[in-house]
Amino acid sequence: MVRGKTQMKRIENATSRQVTFSKRRNGLLKKAFELSVLCDAEVSLIIFSSKGKLYEFASSNMQDTIDRYLTHTKDRISNKPVSEENMQHLKHEAANMMKKIEQLEASKRKLLGEGIGSCSIEELQQIETQLEKSVKCIRARKNQVFKEQIEQLKQKEKALAAENRKLTEKWGSHDMEVWSNKNQEFGRGDEESSPTSEVETQLFIGLPCSSRK
């Protein structure tokens, strides 16, 4: 079945409009992520629903990207004459950007548990889900770091054990050689300290002499 071409106008049915928003929003976020990874680009995406809910993606720090954008815009504007119309447009754009920054700061404070007194149940559940995902990612990274450190310690332990065996073999053979040399010196000392004693004897052969009267 061939799908008809979507007309570019506001969807009147609230349910269909919400479904379309969710699908297009997820697709846009996915495309932004793929662009940042495949092309090594710095991408930041900010989406506000019709109810004022914030959805965002940033390949790096969102605030740094916004500051970079403002600096780039400022440099670009300074290189050309500014008309009254451009000035009004810039003021409007700056006001919108400041509003978005304030909303981002408010979202950040809510993630830190601040200013949540006026949040609805849906907003609190959304914040809770986002925090759970963040904690899960942090724990996974922590476990990975622990495993890497344990593996490094095991490698060091193996290296130290091998070095210990080499030293043991080296000094063990050295001690045996020293002990053998000492035994040889001790044997020579006993031979030198034991002088040969000669005993002189007189041997008489014949009858004993008789005494003369």
Side-chain angles (χ1 to χ4, degrees):
M1 182 177 180
V2 181
R3 296 178 58 186
K5 185 177 180 180
T6 303
Q7 296 181 358
M8 289 294 103
K9 66 177 184 178
R10 182 177 183 272
I11 300 174
E12 298 299 331
N13 185 277
T15 303
S16 299
R17 185 167 61 248
Q18 181 61 33
V19 172
T20 303
F21 172 78
S22 299
K23 291 181 179 180
R24 297 296 179 96
R25 178 201 63 204
N26 294 336
L28 186 59
L29 291 172
K30 181 180 178 182
K31 291 297 182 182
F33 171 76
E34 291 175 351
L35 179 62
S36 64
V37 174
L38 296 176
C39 303
D40 194 23
E42 183 178 352
V43 180
S44 294
L45 177 62
I46 300 174
I47 303 173
F48 287 95
S49 68
S50 58
K51 296 181 180 180
K53 289 185 179 181
L54 170 66
Y55 303 92
E56 61 179 307
F57 167 81
S59 58
S60 59
N61 185 273
M62 176 67 76
Q63 187 62 48
D64 292 342
T65 304
I66 293 174
D67 293 340
R68 182 179 179 183
Y69 169 78
L70 293 175
T71 302
H72 179 76
T73 305
K74 181 180 179 181
D75 294 339
R76 183 178 60 185
I77 293 173
S78 61
N79 294 330
K80 64 179 181 179
V82 181
S83 62
E84 184 66 24
E85 183 179 357
N86 289 335
M87 180 64 70
Q88 294 297 329
H89 174 72
L90 291 175
K91 289 181 179 180
H92 180 70
E93 186 177 3
N96 290 336
M97 188 62 64
M98 291 300 298
K99 184 178 179 180
K100 292 178 180 179
I101 292 174
E102 291 176 359
Q103 291 174 342
L104 289 174
E105 290 294 335
S107 178
K108 179 180 178 181
R109 287 194 297 269
K110 289 179 181 179
L111 290 175
L112 296 175
E114 301 175 359
I116 58 176
S118 59
C119 293
S120 63
I121 295 297
E122 294 180 355
E123 291 176 338
L124 292 174
Q125 289 177 346
Q126 182 180 359
I127 294 172
E128 183 181 9
T129 301
Q130 188 171 356
L131 288 174
E132 288 176 352
K133 291 181 180 179
S134 300
V135 171
K136 185 177 180 181
C137 294
I138 292 171
R139 287 177 177 172
R141 176 55 185 166
K142 183 182 70 173
N143 292 333
Q144 182 182 356
V145 173
F146 280 160
K147 290 180 181 179
E148 292 175 355
Q149 291 180 350
I150 291 173
E151 187 64 27
Q152 291 176 359
L153 291 175
K154 287 182 178 179
Q155 295 297 330
K156 289 182 180 180
E157 182 182 5
K158 290 180 180 179
L160 291 174
E163 186 68 20
N164 189 28
R165 285 195 299 269
K166 291 180 181 179
L167 292 174
T168 301
E169 293 174 357
K170 177 180 178 181
W171 289 104
S173 60
H174 178 72
D175 292 342
M176 289 295 295
E177 183 179 355
V178 172
W179 181 79
S180 178
N181 293 336
K182 287 185 177 180
N183 284 344
Q184 291 178 2
E185 293 177 358
F186 181 74
R188 288 197 299 267
D190 289 344
E191 292 177 359
E192 294 175 357
S193 62
S194 302
T196 305
S197 58
E198 297 181 356
V199 179
E200 296 182 358
T201 58
Q202 294 181 356
L203 178 62
F204 296 92
I205 301 175
L207 296 175
C209 296
S210 58
S211 59
R212 296 180 180 178
K213 295 181 182 180

